[in-house]
Amino acid sequence: MVIVNKSRVHRLEVQCCECPNAMSPDIQMFQHRFFPASFNRPKTVFTFRVLNDFLLDSLESHCKDRYRELMRLKTMKWHGFGHHSDNLSTGELALFCLACPQPGINVLLDPSWKYTWSFVMDGNFKAKHLHPIKPFNEVWLSDRLGFMVGKDRYKIHLAEAADTVEKSSCNNHWAVNQANAARHKLESTGIGGVACARHGCFVPHSMVDFQKGERQATSTIPHS
């Protein structure tokens, strides 16, 4: 049986009481201050000591969940940057479409003029995001390294781009109305990006957040 304690994870032989009047194995585990992972034939248990320690760390000490940091390290390892993490460039922690021709990766380098890529741009207006309550606690673990563009470059681009109100000749055109509508409580009103036209795979470092619908300014930087 696997026993998780504060000191380490133990693997020990455990034999529950099988007398005629004996309680079920899970109740026997509770009596010995073990919390079973399953109530039917438990194979893994957690000591009350390690559970109390987890409760102290997660609720009373307000320790942050390190799962995202762990996943970032695993992503760097998967992409071959485990020992030189300071040399990452934009989009290197994301994979492009494996079926599209990529000279030097899945096709020969020469002649490269034989191969072309086709892209589409689209957005999702349902993926809204509220302003964080404590923005200073927001940490970007993979800024500009995955599918999303770098936040600093994107902010500079939005500050320099002219915001012109588009007038629609259609009656109550929904897309144009969404672009002109302000959402003060929302950090982003949607998400958009560039994808492979043939296979639908997103392009690394090409996804952006919408601030006021699908504007030309937000659609220019992933295309550039």
Side-chain angles (χ1 to χ4, degrees):
M1 181 175 290
V2 178
I3 302 176
V4 182
N5 194 19
K6 278 188 65 175
S7 58
R8 54 171 294 183
V9 178
H10 305 271
R11 288 174 173 81
L12 303 174
E13 292 290 335
V14 177
Q15 179 65 44
C16 295
C17 179
E18 298 180 355
C19 296
N21 297 327
M23 296 183 178
S24 59
D26 56 318
I27 299 299
Q28 295 185 43
M29 297 297 168
F30 281 118
Q31 289 179 338
H32 289 82
R33 300 181 63 81
F34 293 121
F35 190 92
S38 171
F39 296 106
N40 256 337
R41 301 174 62 186
K43 299 295 183 182
T44 303
V45 295
F46 300 86
T47 63
F48 283 11
R49 184 182 178 187
V50 75
L51 293 178
N52 290 333
D53 189 67
F54 173 77
L55 181 66
L56 181 66
D57 288 341
S58 60
L59 296 181
E60 298 184 18
S61 300
H62 301 287
C63 294
K64 294 184 178 180
D65 186 7
R66 298 300 178 186
Y67 178 75
R68 293 179 61 190
E69 289 90 333
L70 175 63
M71 289 306 300
R72 180 177 184 272
L73 294 176
K74 288 182 70 69
T75 304
M76 293 174 62
K77 177 182 176 182
W78 292 336
H79 289 81
F81 294 101
H83 300 287
H84 47 91
S85 58
D86 295 334
N87 300 324
L88 298 176
S89 60
T90 56
E92 285 197 336
L93 294 186
L95 294 176
F96 182 53
C97 178
L98 299 178
C100 284
Q102 302 180 58
I105 298 178
N106 55 6
V107 294
L108 298 177
L109 287 173
D110 296 320
S112 59
W113 54 265
K114 295 197 314 184
Y115 310 107
T116 58
W117 291 349
S118 299
F119 300 106
V120 293
M121 300 177 65
D122 201 0
N124 180 4
F125 297 103
K126 300 296 184 180
K128 298 180 176 63
H129 187 266
L130 294 172
H131 285 286
I133 299 177
K134 298 179 179 180
F136 48 86
N137 286 339
E138 297 292 317
V139 178
W140 292 66
L141 299 177
S142 302
D143 185 29
R144 72 175 177 78
L145 302 178
F147 290 100
M148 301 296 294
V149 301
K151 60 182 179 67
D152 294 332
R153 178 189 173 190
Y154 188 46
K155 288 180 179 179
I156 294 174
H157 172 77
L158 291 179
E160 295 176 350
D163 186 12
T164 57
V165 179
E166 180 182 356
K167 294 183 179 180
S168 174
S169 58
C170 300
N171 183 22
N172 197 22
H173 193 278
W174 188 81
V176 177
N177 292 340
Q178 282 291 106
N180 296 331
R183 301 289 188 270
H184 299 293
K185 295 183 179 181
L186 297 176
E187 185 180 30
S188 61
T189 60
I191 190 171
V194 182
C196 164
R198 181 177 294 272
H199 307 101
C201 297
F202 289 107
V203 179
H205 198 249
S206 68
M207 307 292 294
V208 295
D209 288 328
F210 293 149
Q211 272 66 46
K212 284 182 63 178
E214 195 175 28
R215 296 187 298 163
Q216 179 66 28
T218 57
S219 303
T220 302
I221 189 167
H223 190 62
S224 60

